[in-house]
Amino acid sequence: MRAVALGGGRGLHATLGALRRITDDVTAVVTVADDGGSSGRLRRELGLLPPGDLRKALAALAGEEDENSLWRMVFEHRFGGSGALAGHAVGNLVLAGLLEVIPDPVTALDQAARLLGLRGRVLPMCTEPLDIEADVVGLDEDATAVRRIRGQVAIATTPGQVRRIRLHTAGMPDSVPSACPAAVRAVLDADVVLLGPGSWFTSVLPHLLVPELQEALIETAASRIVVLNLVPQPGETAGFSPERHLDVLCEHAPRLRVDAVIADADSVSTPDRLRRAAESLGASTRLDGVASVKARERHDPQALADSLRDALAAVNVR
């Protein structure tokens, strides 16, 4: 089974951890708009794709108990201290080096995958770094006044309510981002495509704002599954119900149809509302226990894998 997961950060890490329990043919398509932390520093200093989310996806698909586990640990290790390297992950620096030596980001990531003995592949959403901006309300005395907030970190941490996002190539505010051709091909050739979980406005929805990628998601014959977050994210989706996540998805990609929506049973207070929202996208709903027992805000990879299997079985029956 050819599986493609779209997202970034911790949410994509959870999805990939589940998928590698189902199939070895997994492709991660990763957002490239991060402008904070180690990734932001490397992006500003070197003009490269921000490597952090790409690194996390590589680590998620690397073996945990084989001969490559040491490289996975090293990739994720962050330097301490207070010098120039403080806060940088080793994997970010390795990817930065590869991206400088190898002009093609896809080839550079394939080389990183070989180093880690990857089960699967990691691709950037676009081959150029992106800037993201959002329309936000609730920041002024007039609660309806709209402010434009720029930058992934600023949007993710805004105390206001995000209404809509836009995406453009870094430093080119009037440009329309171009998708990575390999990512488009992976979506078109997939048997199953997953959106979410993750930071909804800055990791999940950006894929829908790249025209070629959105069109591929609409045209693909793959089963399309949305995995909802376990809890609202402070700032970005504070106060969001599970069904509101689907409403926002539809607002950004009205033509997108979905086959199944997976949500944690304990995170959904009004199942009927969620089912109606899912049905408006053409999807069935699965309410399963997919949260980690140790950390309720994180998905349990094995439980999510089991839910995905059941969802796919139900979709195939339909």
Side-chain angles (χ1 to χ4, degrees):
M1 184 178 68
R2 293 166 294 186
V4 175
L6 300 95
R10 185 182 295 172
L12 181 59
H13 192 283
T15 306
L16 297 175
L19 283 175
R20 62 191 299 270
R21 288 166 165 79
I22 300 174
T23 176
D24 285 337
D25 195 341
V26 181
T27 298
V29 178
V30 185
T31 53
V32 287
D34 192 4
D35 60 354
S38 169
S39 287
R41 289 161 61 189
L42 291 169
R43 171 179 169 168
R44 287 188 295 273
E45 293 172 12
L46 303 175
L48 303 171
L49 289 176
D53 285 346
L54 296 167
R55 184 201 82 246
K56 291 174 187 174
L58 287 164
L61 290 175
E64 297 180 4
E65 298 176 355
D66 56 24
E67 65 275 10
N68 300 301
S69 60
L70 176 60
W71 272 115
R72 181 186 61 80
M73 290 173 60
V74 171
F75 242 61
E76 289 293 79
H77 174 73
R78 287 189 184 274
F79 291 103
S82 57
L85 291 178
H88 279 303
V90 172
N92 286 0
L93 299 178
V94 172
L95 288 176
L98 282 168
L99 290 166
E100 282 210 327
V101 171
I102 303 173
D104 177 24
V106 172
T107 304
L109 286 164
D110 285 343
Q111 290 299 318
R114 288 182 59 192
L115 175 67
L116 292 165
L118 221 65
R119 295 171 58 189
R121 196 179 191 197
V122 173
L123 298 170
M125 180 175 72
C126 301
T127 57
E128 298 287 340
L130 302 177
D131 287 336
I132 185 170
E133 59 183 35
D135 292 335
V136 179
V137 297
L139 296 175
D140 299 281
E141 203 170 303
D142 178 0
T144 64
V146 178
R147 278 208 209 175
R148 184 167 294 181
I149 304 297
R150 294 179 174 86
Q152 180 172 325
V153 172
I155 295 168
T157 57
T158 179
Q161 295 179 322
V162 180
R163 294 301 191 205
R164 194 166 190 87
I165 59 168
R166 288 173 295 278
L167 209 60
H168 55 79
T169 305
M172 302 170 64
D174 296 324
S175 67
V176 177
S178 296
C180 170
V184 172
R185 177 47 53 192
V187 170
L188 290 172
D189 290 345
D191 298 306
V192 57
V193 176
L194 269 63
L195 269 172
S199 299
W200 214 245
F201 284 100
T202 55
S203 291
V204 179
L205 294 181
H207 293 85
L208 303 176
L209 302 183
V210 180
E212 301 100 323
L213 203 49
Q214 181 183 135
E215 201 61 31
L217 286 164
I218 292 169
E219 292 180 3
T220 183
S223 300
R224 287 160 290 214
I225 298 178
V226 172
V227 182
L228 291 178
N229 292 340
L230 299 167
V231 295
Q233 183 175 352
E236 215 174 291
T237 54
F240 269 39
S241 63
E243 56 269 20
R244 178 58 183 153
H245 287 75
L246 297 183
D247 293 341
V248 170
L249 192 74
C250 186
E251 288 167 9
H252 284 79
R255 294 168 54 219
L256 179 66
R257 310 306 291 167
V258 178
D259 294 290
V261 173
I262 293 176
D264 180 66
D266 293 334
S267 302
V268 180
S269 58
T270 53
D272 288 342
R273 290 182 185 177
L274 178 60
R275 288 192 178 94
R276 285 196 294 270
E279 287 170 0
S280 70
L281 293 171
S284 59
T285 304
R286 287 205 62 84
L287 298 179
D288 292 322
V290 293
S292 169
V293 175
K294 296 180 180 179
R296 293 292 306 171
E297 73 280 5
R298 297 188 184 186
H299 288 80
D300 178 87
Q302 186 57 58
L304 183 55
D306 293 340
S307 185
L308 285 169
R309 284 193 188 94
D310 291 340
L312 285 168
V315 167
N316 289 335
V317 169
R318 289 169 65 195

